Amino acid sequence: MRLLAPAKVNLHLRVGARDSSGYHPLLTWMCTVGLFDTLTIRQDEGAEAAPSFARFTADAIALTCDETSIPCDDTNLACRAARALIEVIGSAPLSPRLSRGLSIHLQKHIPVGGGLGGGSSDAARTLVGLNRLWNLDLPAEQLHAVAAQVGSDVPFFLHGPSAVCRGRGEVVEPARVPRARWAMLVLSGFPVPTRDVYARFDELRLGDVGFGEAQPPWQEWADLSAGPLLSRLRNDLEPAAFALVPQLGRLRDALELSLARVIRMTGSGGTLFTLFDERREAEVAAQFVRTRHMLEAVAVELAPKVVDDLVAS
Ligand code: C5P
């Protein structure tokens, strides 16, 4: 089974003060973008076919990845997702067709640690893929509960392509896809560890003002063209990330100047983005950033159509 896992951007991200759980409450509008990891899931149907009462055990999962820097152990969210699902179905007997080995091969295209949610997307696609492969028919709520346990951004990817998420990210409400359908991502490559960004956020007391209960008029925002929409979007983690990695803040300023456009950061960084109404505009901007700033930049569609073995064209 070949699956595509899209990246996301946080179009809008509000962050409150750290609560008693040690986490910060969020209000964020996220949208998938056309940059994909590929997952190939194989159920080993080798010579030793399992008897009908076989139980699938967590040890039977083998994860591999073309990117050698990525751990293929329990710290990998795709692995955690598969294991969490196995725990849920624990005692349920699987189809006699299945033997004991499951292999997942991950081809990474989404930069790691860039605020693009690659690991979470891989995990969500693993859950949906295994639900289908094993004919589990788990209802959406149950998959959602497993996803929330695996990581804060995972539930969003079960729902996508455009959703407003609250809590730690686990409260997901579908939202309209923005009319501005193109983004240019600047893959800065600056490592910006999430934990350190939140710690700096606390030091700077950025959560003290809070973001209140009132939500922006998402429907109205979704109807705006790129310019007016960009002027309304914000990311409360930007001051913390830019204080932690000043080069990233300087890069944002330089890009805003040279492109004469609002540039936002996604998640806790270090990927920066801006929005466009037309594909061509995003491509021209990406080319400009590559040649003028010598940085990796790509034009991507927002809420792209995903055609893989789960969703046939
Ligand atoms: O979600 P993730 O495990 O990547 O987060 C890494 C760290 O960032 C957490 O351990 C926590 O310190 C901080 N964090 C937070 N509030 C959030 C998300 C992350 O304080 N909503």
Side-chain angles (χ1 to χ4, degrees), residues 172-204:
V172 184
E173 283 166 43
R176 289 255 296 281
V177 170
R179 179 177 134 195
R181 281 296 283 275
W182 291 88
M184 188 229 356
L185 308 180
V186 180
L187 311 170
S188 77
F190 293 125
V192 193
T194 302
R195 181 186 297 273
D196 298 350
V197 173
Y198 278 104
R200 187 58 69 94
F201 182 89
D202 293 341
E203 276 164 36
L204 297 171

PDB file of all heavy atoms in Angstrom, residues 172-204:
ATOM      1  N   VAL A 172     -10.448  19.384  16.830  1.00  0.00           N
ATOM      2  CA  VAL A 172     -10.322  19.739  15.406  1.00  0.00           C
ATOM      3  C   VAL A 172     -11.693  20.048  14.808  1.00  0.00           C
ATOM      4  O   VAL A 172     -12.606  19.228  14.907  1.00  0.00           O
ATOM      5  CB  VAL A 172      -9.708  18.556  14.614  1.00  0.00           C
ATOM      6  CG1 VAL A 172      -9.478  18.934  13.154  1.00  0.00           C
ATOM      7  CG2 VAL A 172      -8.405  18.108  15.246  1.00  0.00           C
ATOM      8  N   GLU A 173     -11.820  21.230  14.219  1.00  0.00           N
ATOM      9  CA  GLU A 173     -13.060  21.554  13.502  1.00  0.00           C
ATOM     10  C   GLU A 173     -12.717  21.885  12.071  1.00  0.00           C
ATOM     11  O   GLU A 173     -11.917  22.793  11.818  1.00  0.00           O
ATOM     12  CB  GLU A 173     -13.735  22.777  14.145  1.00  0.00           C
ATOM     13  CG  GLU A 173     -14.451  22.459  15.433  1.00  0.00           C
ATOM     14  CD  GLU A 173     -14.799  23.730  16.199  1.00  0.00           C
ATOM     15  OE1 GLU A 173     -15.253  24.691  15.563  1.00  0.00           O
ATOM     16  OE2 GLU A 173     -14.575  23.727  17.418  1.00  0.00           O
ATOM     17  N   PRO A 174     -13.338  21.178  11.129  1.00  0.00           N
ATOM     18  CA  PRO A 174     -13.045  21.460   9.721  1.00  0.00           C
ATOM     19  C   PRO A 174     -13.333  22.918   9.382  1.00  0.00           C
ATOM     20  O   PRO A 174     -14.266  23.513   9.937  1.00  0.00           O
ATOM     21  CB  PRO A 174     -14.001  20.529   8.969  1.00  0.00           C
ATOM     22  CG  PRO A 174     -14.343  19.464   9.947  1.00  0.00           C
ATOM     23  CD  PRO A 174     -14.296  20.092  11.311  1.00  0.00           C
ATOM     24  N   ALA A 175     -12.533  23.492   8.516  1.00  0.00           N
ATOM     25  CA  ALA A 175     -12.720  24.892   8.099  1.00  0.00           C
ATOM     26  C   ALA A 175     -12.659  24.952   6.570  1.00  0.00           C
ATOM     27  O   ALA A 175     -12.185  24.012   5.927  1.00  0.00           O
ATOM     28  CB  ALA A 175     -11.625  25.759   8.700  1.00  0.00           C
ATOM     29  N   ARG A 176     -13.142  26.058   6.032  1.00  0.00           N
ATOM     30  CA  ARG A 176     -13.090  26.211   4.577  1.00  0.00           C
ATOM     31  C   ARG A 176     -11.642  26.317   4.118  1.00  0.00           C
ATOM     32  O   ARG A 176     -10.790  26.870   4.816  1.00  0.00           O
ATOM     33  CB  ARG A 176     -13.829  27.493   4.180  1.00  0.00           C
ATOM     34  CG  ARG A 176     -15.332  27.399   4.335  1.00  0.00           C
ATOM     35  CD  ARG A 176     -16.009  27.261   2.966  1.00  0.00           C
ATOM     36  NE  ARG A 176     -15.788  28.445   2.152  1.00  0.00           N
ATOM     37  CZ  ARG A 176     -16.471  29.578   2.299  1.00  0.00           C
ATOM     38  NH1 ARG A 176     -17.403  29.672   3.220  1.00  0.00           N
ATOM     39  NH2 ARG A 176     -16.231  30.609   1.528  1.00  0.00           N
ATOM     40  N   VAL A 177     -11.382  25.820   2.935  1.00  0.00           N
ATOM     41  CA  VAL A 177     -10.057  25.957   2.327  1.00  0.00           C
ATOM     42  C   VAL A 177      -9.929  27.414   1.872  1.00  0.00           C
ATOM     43  O   VAL A 177     -10.871  27.968   1.307  1.00  0.00           O
ATOM     44  CB  VAL A 177      -9.932  24.992   1.127  1.00  0.00           C
ATOM     45  CG1 VAL A 177      -8.679  25.273   0.327  1.00  0.00           C
ATOM     46  CG2 VAL A 177      -9.966  23.544   1.615  1.00  0.00           C
ATOM     47  N   PRO A 178      -8.784  28.058   2.146  1.00  0.00           N
ATOM     48  CA  PRO A 178      -8.660  29.453   1.735  1.00  0.00           C
ATOM     49  C   PRO A 178      -8.749  29.627   0.217  1.00  0.00           C
ATOM     50  O   PRO A 178      -8.318  28.749  -0.537  1.00  0.00           O
ATOM     51  CB  PRO A 178      -7.282  29.871   2.245  1.00  0.00           C
ATOM     52  CG  PRO A 178      -6.635  28.674   2.781  1.00  0.00           C
ATOM     53  CD  PRO A 178      -7.606  27.552   2.851  1.00  0.00           C
ATOM     54  N   ARG A 179      -9.314  30.762  -0.170  1.00  0.00           N
ATOM     55  CA  ARG A 179      -9.413  31.069  -1.599  1.00  0.00           C
ATOM     56  C   ARG A 179      -8.006  31.257  -2.197  1.00  0.00           C
ATOM     57  O   ARG A 179      -7.772  30.923  -3.360  1.00  0.00           O
ATOM     58  CB  ARG A 179     -10.230  32.365  -1.728  1.00  0.00           C
ATOM     59  CG  ARG A 179     -10.419  32.833  -3.118  1.00  0.00           C
ATOM     60  CD  ARG A 179     -11.290  34.074  -3.098  1.00  0.00           C
ATOM     61  NE  ARG A 179     -10.724  35.091  -3.956  1.00  0.00           N
ATOM     62  CZ  ARG A 179     -11.072  36.361  -3.953  1.00  0.00           C
ATOM     63  NH1 ARG A 179     -11.984  36.802  -3.119  1.00  0.00           N
ATOM     64  NH2 ARG A 179     -10.513  37.201  -4.792  1.00  0.00           N
ATOM     65  N   ALA A 180      -7.109  31.810  -1.386  1.00  0.00           N
ATOM     66  CA  ALA A 180      -5.706  31.941  -1.818  1.00  0.00           C
ATOM     67  C   ALA A 180      -5.094  30.544  -1.759  1.00  0.00           C
ATOM     68  O   ALA A 180      -4.781  30.055  -0.682  1.00  0.00           O
ATOM     69  CB  ALA A 180      -4.972  32.896  -0.892  1.00  0.00           C
ATOM     70  N   ARG A 181      -4.962  29.902  -2.898  1.00  0.00           N
ATOM     71  CA  ARG A 181      -4.641  28.470  -2.896  1.00  0.00           C
ATOM     72  C   ARG A 181      -3.162  28.132  -3.066  1.00  0.00           C
ATOM     73  O   ARG A 181      -2.800  26.964  -3.154  1.00  0.00           O
ATOM     74  CB  ARG A 181      -5.416  27.767  -4.022  1.00  0.00           C
ATOM     75  CG  ARG A 181      -6.864  27.499  -3.688  1.00  0.00           C
ATOM     76  CD  ARG A 181      -7.003  26.528  -2.512  1.00  0.00           C
ATOM     77  NE  ARG A 181      -6.753  25.153  -2.870  1.00  0.00           N
ATOM     78  CZ  ARG A 181      -7.653  24.338  -3.382  1.00  0.00           C
ATOM     79  NH1 ARG A 181      -8.883  24.783  -3.611  1.00  0.00           N
ATOM     80  NH2 ARG A 181      -7.338  23.098  -3.667  1.00  0.00           N
ATOM     81  N   TRP A 182      -2.276  29.147  -3.111  1.00  0.00           N
ATOM     82  CA  TRP A 182      -0.868  28.837  -3.351  1.00  0.00           C
ATOM     83  C   TRP A 182       0.021  29.435  -2.279  1.00  0.00           C
ATOM     84  O   TRP A 182      -0.262  30.513  -1.768  1.00  0.00           O
ATOM     85  CB  TRP A 182      -0.439  29.305  -4.744  1.00  0.00           C
ATOM     86  CG  TRP A 182      -1.120  28.462  -5.770  1.00  0.00           C
ATOM     87  CD1 TRP A 182      -2.356  28.686  -6.325  1.00  0.00           C
ATOM     88  CD2 TRP A 182      -0.669  27.211  -6.269  1.00  0.00           C
ATOM     89  NE1 TRP A 182      -2.680  27.645  -7.161  1.00  0.00           N
ATOM     90  CE2 TRP A 182      -1.668  26.729  -7.157  1.00  0.00           C
ATOM     91  CE3 TRP A 182       0.481  26.443  -6.077  1.00  0.00           C
ATOM     92  CZ2 TRP A 182      -1.538  25.523  -7.831  1.00  0.00           C
ATOM     93  CZ3 TRP A 182       0.616  25.241  -6.756  1.00  0.00           C
ATOM     94  CH2 TRP A 182      -0.389  24.793  -7.622  1.00  0.00           C
ATOM     95  N   ALA A 183       1.048  28.697  -1.939  1.00  0.00           N
ATOM     96  CA  ALA A 183       2.004  29.177  -0.945  1.00  0.00           C
ATOM     97  C   ALA A 183       3.409  29.007  -1.482  1.00  0.00           C
ATOM     98  O   ALA A 183       3.664  28.148  -2.337  1.00  0.00           O
ATOM     99  CB  ALA A 183       1.859  28.390   0.360  1.00  0.00           C
ATOM    100  N   MET A 184       4.286  29.867  -1.022  1.00  0.00           N
ATOM    101  CA  MET A 184       5.705  29.650  -1.260  1.00  0.00           C
ATOM    102  C   MET A 184       6.341  29.357   0.087  1.00  0.00           C
ATOM    103  O   MET A 184       6.153  30.124   1.049  1.00  0.00           O
ATOM    104  CB  MET A 184       6.355  30.897  -1.866  1.00  0.00           C
ATOM    105  CG  MET A 184       7.750  30.597  -2.289  1.00  0.00           C
ATOM    106  SD  MET A 184       9.076  31.689  -1.791  1.00  0.00           S
ATOM    107  CE  MET A 184       8.453  33.018  -0.954  1.00  0.00           C
ATOM    108  N   LEU A 185       7.003  28.208   0.179  1.00  0.00           N
ATOM    109  CA  LEU A 185       7.674  27.840   1.432  1.00  0.00           C
ATOM    110  C   LEU A 185       9.157  28.142   1.296  1.00  0.00           C
ATOM    111  O   LEU A 185       9.772  27.775   0.279  1.00  0.00           O
ATOM    112  CB  LEU A 185       7.526  26.335   1.708  1.00  0.00           C
ATOM    113  CG  LEU A 185       6.126  25.714   1.676  1.00  0.00           C
ATOM    114  CD1 LEU A 185       6.224  24.216   1.980  1.00  0.00           C
ATOM    115  CD2 LEU A 185       5.220  26.410   2.696  1.00  0.00           C
ATOM    116  N   VAL A 186       9.708  28.770   2.301  1.00  0.00           N
ATOM    117  CA  VAL A 186      11.162  28.970   2.342  1.00  0.00           C
ATOM    118  C   VAL A 186      11.701  28.035   3.420  1.00  0.00           C
ATOM    119  O   VAL A 186      11.428  28.219   4.613  1.00  0.00           O
ATOM    120  CB  VAL A 186      11.535  30.437   2.650  1.00  0.00           C
ATOM    121  CG1 VAL A 186      13.052  30.592   2.694  1.00  0.00           C
ATOM    122  CG2 VAL A 186      10.919  31.368   1.615  1.00  0.00           C
ATOM    123  N   LEU A 187      12.414  27.010   2.961  1.00  0.00           N
ATOM    124  CA  LEU A 187      12.919  25.981   3.871  1.00  0.00           C
ATOM    125  C   LEU A 187      14.259  26.471   4.400  1.00  0.00           C
ATOM    126  O   LEU A 187      15.302  26.212   3.807  1.00  0.00           O
ATOM    127  CB  LEU A 187      13.037  24.646   3.124  1.00  0.00           C
ATOM    128  CG  LEU A 187      11.773  24.263   2.320  1.00  0.00           C
ATOM    129  CD1 LEU A 187      12.023  23.069   1.424  1.00  0.00           C
ATOM    130  CD2 LEU A 187      10.587  24.004   3.242  1.00  0.00           C
ATOM    131  N   SER A 188      14.198  27.226   5.485  1.00  0.00           N
ATOM    132  CA  SER A 188      15.385  27.952   5.941  1.00  0.00           C
ATOM    133  C   SER A 188      16.511  27.009   6.357  1.00  0.00           C
ATOM    134  O   SER A 188      17.679  27.356   6.283  1.00  0.00           O
ATOM    135  CB  SER A 188      15.022  28.857   7.122  1.00  0.00           C
ATOM    136  OG  SER A 188      14.888  28.086   8.302  1.00  0.00           O
ATOM    137  N   GLY A 189      16.148  25.835   6.832  1.00  0.00           N
ATOM    138  CA  GLY A 189      17.178  24.887   7.290  1.00  0.00           C
ATOM    139  C   GLY A 189      17.708  25.221   8.676  1.00  0.00           C
ATOM    140  O   GLY A 189      18.498  24.472   9.231  1.00  0.00           O
ATOM    141  N   PHE A 190      17.288  26.348   9.265  1.00  0.00           N
ATOM    142  CA  PHE A 190      17.742  26.662  10.631  1.00  0.00           C
ATOM    143  C   PHE A 190      17.049  25.712  11.603  1.00  0.00           C
ATOM    144  O   PHE A 190      15.814  25.640  11.627  1.00  0.00           O
ATOM    145  CB  PHE A 190      17.377  28.097  11.030  1.00  0.00           C
ATOM    146  CG  PHE A 190      18.119  29.143  10.249  1.00  0.00           C
ATOM    147  CD1 PHE A 190      17.436  30.137   9.562  1.00  0.00           C
ATOM    148  CD2 PHE A 190      19.507  29.145  10.211  1.00  0.00           C
ATOM    149  CE1 PHE A 190      18.118  31.110   8.846  1.00  0.00           C
ATOM    150  CE2 PHE A 190      20.195  30.115   9.489  1.00  0.00           C
ATOM    151  CZ  PHE A 190      19.500  31.094   8.803  1.00  0.00           C
ATOM    152  N   PRO A 191      17.804  24.988  12.411  1.00  0.00           N
ATOM    153  CA  PRO A 191      17.142  24.121  13.395  1.00  0.00           C
ATOM    154  C   PRO A 191      16.537  24.973  14.518  1.00  0.00           C
ATOM    155  O   PRO A 191      17.222  25.813  15.104  1.00  0.00           O
ATOM    156  CB  PRO A 191      18.281  23.231  13.909  1.00  0.00           C
ATOM    157  CG  PRO A 191      19.542  23.923  13.558  1.00  0.00           C
ATOM    158  CD  PRO A 191      19.259  24.950  12.492  1.00  0.00           C
ATOM    159  N   VAL A 192      15.246  24.785  14.750  1.00  0.00           N
ATOM    160  CA  VAL A 192      14.559  25.566  15.786  1.00  0.00           C
ATOM    161  C   VAL A 192      13.784  24.573  16.657  1.00  0.00           C
ATOM    162  O   VAL A 192      12.630  24.268  16.376  1.00  0.00           O
ATOM    163  CB  VAL A 192      13.567  26.579  15.139  1.00  0.00           C
ATOM    164  CG1 VAL A 192      13.097  27.586  16.172  1.00  0.00           C
ATOM    165  CG2 VAL A 192      14.178  27.289  13.943  1.00  0.00           C
ATOM    166  N   PRO A 193      14.421  24.033  17.710  1.00  0.00           N
ATOM    167  CA  PRO A 193      13.744  23.003  18.514  1.00  0.00           C
ATOM    168  C   PRO A 193      12.474  23.537  19.181  1.00  0.00           C
ATOM    169  O   PRO A 193      12.505  24.573  19.861  1.00  0.00           O
ATOM    170  CB  PRO A 193      14.793  22.617  19.557  1.00  0.00           C
ATOM    171  CG  PRO A 193      16.093  23.151  19.041  1.00  0.00           C
ATOM    172  CD  PRO A 193      15.762  24.335  18.200  1.00  0.00           C
ATOM    173  N   THR A 194      11.370  22.825  18.975  1.00  0.00           N
ATOM    174  CA  THR A 194      10.057  23.248  19.484  1.00  0.00           C
ATOM    175  C   THR A 194      10.098  23.555  20.982  1.00  0.00           C
ATOM    176  O   THR A 194       9.613  24.592  21.428  1.00  0.00           O
ATOM    177  CB  THR A 194       9.032  22.124  19.229  1.00  0.00           C
ATOM    178  OG1 THR A 194       9.026  21.870  17.832  1.00  0.00           O
ATOM    179  CG2 THR A 194       7.637  22.515  19.667  1.00  0.00           C
ATOM    180  N   ARG A 195      10.691  22.638  21.725  1.00  0.00           N
ATOM    181  CA  ARG A 195      10.725  22.796  23.190  1.00  0.00           C
ATOM    182  C   ARG A 195      11.398  24.119  23.573  1.00  0.00           C
ATOM    183  O   ARG A 195      10.926  24.848  24.445  1.00  0.00           O
ATOM    184  CB  ARG A 195      11.499  21.616  23.787  1.00  0.00           C
ATOM    185  CG  ARG A 195      11.612  21.619  25.280  1.00  0.00           C
ATOM    186  CD  ARG A 195      12.523  20.490  25.711  1.00  0.00           C
ATOM    187  NE  ARG A 195      11.963  19.196  25.333  1.00  0.00           N
ATOM    188  CZ  ARG A 195      11.101  18.519  26.095  1.00  0.00           C
ATOM    189  NH1 ARG A 195      10.744  18.999  27.261  1.00  0.00           N
ATOM    190  NH2 ARG A 195      10.631  17.360  25.694  1.00  0.00           N
ATOM    191  N   ASP A 196      12.503  24.450  22.886  1.00  0.00           N
ATOM    192  CA  ASP A 196      13.248  25.676  23.208  1.00  0.00           C
ATOM    193  C   ASP A 196      12.443  26.920  22.835  1.00  0.00           C
ATOM    194  O   ASP A 196      12.525  27.944  23.508  1.00  0.00           O
ATOM    195  CB  ASP A 196      14.593  25.699  22.459  1.00  0.00           C
ATOM    196  CG  ASP A 196      15.481  24.537  22.882  1.00  0.00           C
ATOM    197  OD1 ASP A 196      15.134  23.863  23.861  1.00  0.00           O
ATOM    198  OD2 ASP A 196      16.504  24.297  22.210  1.00  0.00           O
ATOM    199  N   VAL A 197      11.664  26.833  21.752  1.00  0.00           N
ATOM    200  CA  VAL A 197      10.849  27.976  21.348  1.00  0.00           C
ATOM    201  C   VAL A 197       9.786  28.251  22.428  1.00  0.00           C
ATOM    202  O   VAL A 197       9.579  29.395  22.835  1.00  0.00           O
ATOM    203  CB  VAL A 197      10.173  27.733  19.978  1.00  0.00           C
ATOM    204  CG1 VAL A 197       9.184  28.846  19.647  1.00  0.00           C
ATOM    205  CG2 VAL A 197      11.232  27.625  18.887  1.00  0.00           C
ATOM    206  N   TYR A 198       9.150  27.181  22.908  1.00  0.00           N
ATOM    207  CA  TYR A 198       8.143  27.373  23.964  1.00  0.00           C
ATOM    208  C   TYR A 198       8.790  27.880  25.251  1.00  0.00           C
ATOM    209  O   TYR A 198       8.213  28.700  25.973  1.00  0.00           O
ATOM    210  CB  TYR A 198       7.368  26.078  24.217  1.00  0.00           C
ATOM    211  CG  TYR A 198       6.244  25.871  23.217  1.00  0.00           C
ATOM    212  CD1 TYR A 198       6.362  24.967  22.177  1.00  0.00           C
ATOM    213  CD2 TYR A 198       5.060  26.607  23.310  1.00  0.00           C
ATOM    214  CE1 TYR A 198       5.337  24.780  21.249  1.00  0.00           C
ATOM    215  CE2 TYR A 198       4.031  26.430  22.401  1.00  0.00           C
ATOM    216  CZ  TYR A 198       4.174  25.517  21.374  1.00  0.00           C
ATOM    217  OH  TYR A 198       3.158  25.347  20.468  1.00  0.00           O
ATOM    218  N   ALA A 199      10.004  27.403  25.561  1.00  0.00           N
ATOM    219  CA  ALA A 199      10.695  27.874  26.776  1.00  0.00           C
ATOM    220  C   ALA A 199      10.991  29.373  26.638  1.00  0.00           C
ATOM    221  O   ALA A 199      10.806  30.143  27.586  1.00  0.00           O
ATOM    222  CB  ALA A 199      11.983  27.077  26.988  1.00  0.00           C
ATOM    223  N   ARG A 200      11.430  29.809  25.449  1.00  0.00           N
ATOM    224  CA  ARG A 200      11.710  31.231  25.229  1.00  0.00           C
ATOM    225  C   ARG A 200      10.414  32.050  25.275  1.00  0.00           C
ATOM    226  O   ARG A 200      10.381  33.164  25.781  1.00  0.00           O
ATOM    227  CB  ARG A 200      12.445  31.406  23.890  1.00  0.00           C
ATOM    228  CG  ARG A 200      12.934  32.825  23.632  1.00  0.00           C
ATOM    229  CD  ARG A 200      13.886  33.327  24.731  1.00  0.00           C
ATOM    230  NE  ARG A 200      15.151  32.651  24.738  1.00  0.00           N
ATOM    231  CZ  ARG A 200      16.242  33.101  24.105  1.00  0.00           C
ATOM    232  NH1 ARG A 200      16.206  34.229  23.473  1.00  0.00           N
ATOM    233  NH2 ARG A 200      17.373  32.419  24.142  1.00  0.00           N
ATOM    234  N   PHE A 201       9.347  31.434  24.767  1.00  0.00           N
ATOM    235  CA  PHE A 201       8.018  32.064  24.816  1.00  0.00           C
ATOM    236  C   PHE A 201       7.657  32.378  26.279  1.00  0.00           C
ATOM    237  O   PHE A 201       7.172  33.467  26.590  1.00  0.00           O
ATOM    238  CB  PHE A 201       7.007  31.092  24.187  1.00  0.00           C
ATOM    239  CG  PHE A 201       5.592  31.581  24.110  1.00  0.00           C
ATOM    240  CD1 PHE A 201       5.136  32.294  22.999  1.00  0.00           C
ATOM    241  CD2 PHE A 201       4.690  31.314  25.128  1.00  0.00           C
ATOM    242  CE1 PHE A 201       3.823  32.737  22.918  1.00  0.00           C
ATOM    243  CE2 PHE A 201       3.372  31.748  25.058  1.00  0.00           C
ATOM    244  CZ  PHE A 201       2.938  32.458  23.941  1.00  0.00           C
ATOM    245  N   ASP A 202       7.948  31.429  27.170  1.00  0.00           N
ATOM    246  CA  ASP A 202       7.667  31.628  28.598  1.00  0.00           C
ATOM    247  C   ASP A 202       8.568  32.720  29.174  1.00  0.00           C
ATOM    248  O   ASP A 202       8.107  33.600  29.894  1.00  0.00           O
ATOM    249  CB  ASP A 202       7.902  30.334  29.384  1.00  0.00           C
ATOM    250  CG  ASP A 202       6.900  29.244  29.005  1.00  0.00           C
ATOM    251  OD1 ASP A 202       5.848  29.585  28.432  1.00  0.00           O
ATOM    252  OD2 ASP A 202       7.186  28.062  29.278  1.00  0.00           O
ATOM    253  N   GLU A 203       9.877  32.643  28.853  1.00  0.00           N
ATOM    254  CA  GLU A 203      10.830  33.633  29.382  1.00  0.00           C
ATOM    255  C   GLU A 203      10.411  35.047  29.007  1.00  0.00           C
ATOM    256  O   GLU A 203      10.527  35.976  29.797  1.00  0.00           O
ATOM    257  CB  GLU A 203      12.224  33.380  28.792  1.00  0.00           C
ATOM    258  CG  GLU A 203      13.032  32.330  29.522  1.00  0.00           C
ATOM    259  CD  GLU A 203      14.209  31.860  28.678  1.00  0.00           C
ATOM    260  OE1 GLU A 203      14.802  32.689  27.942  1.00  0.00           O
ATOM    261  OE2 GLU A 203      14.491  30.656  28.733  1.00  0.00           O
ATOM    262  N   LEU A 204       9.928  35.171  27.774  1.00  0.00           N
ATOM    263  CA  LEU A 204       9.531  36.503  27.289  1.00  0.00           C
ATOM    264  C   LEU A 204       8.119  36.871  27.750  1.00  0.00           C
ATOM    265  O   LEU A 204       7.612  37.926  27.385  1.00  0.00           O
ATOM    266  CB  LEU A 204       9.623  36.550  25.749  1.00  0.00           C
ATOM    267  CG  LEU A 204      11.025  36.359  25.143  1.00  0.00           C
ATOM    268  CD1 LEU A 204      10.946  36.208  23.625  1.00  0.00           C
ATOM    269  CD2 LEU A 204      11.919  37.543  25.495  1.00  0.00           C
TER     270      LEU A 204
END
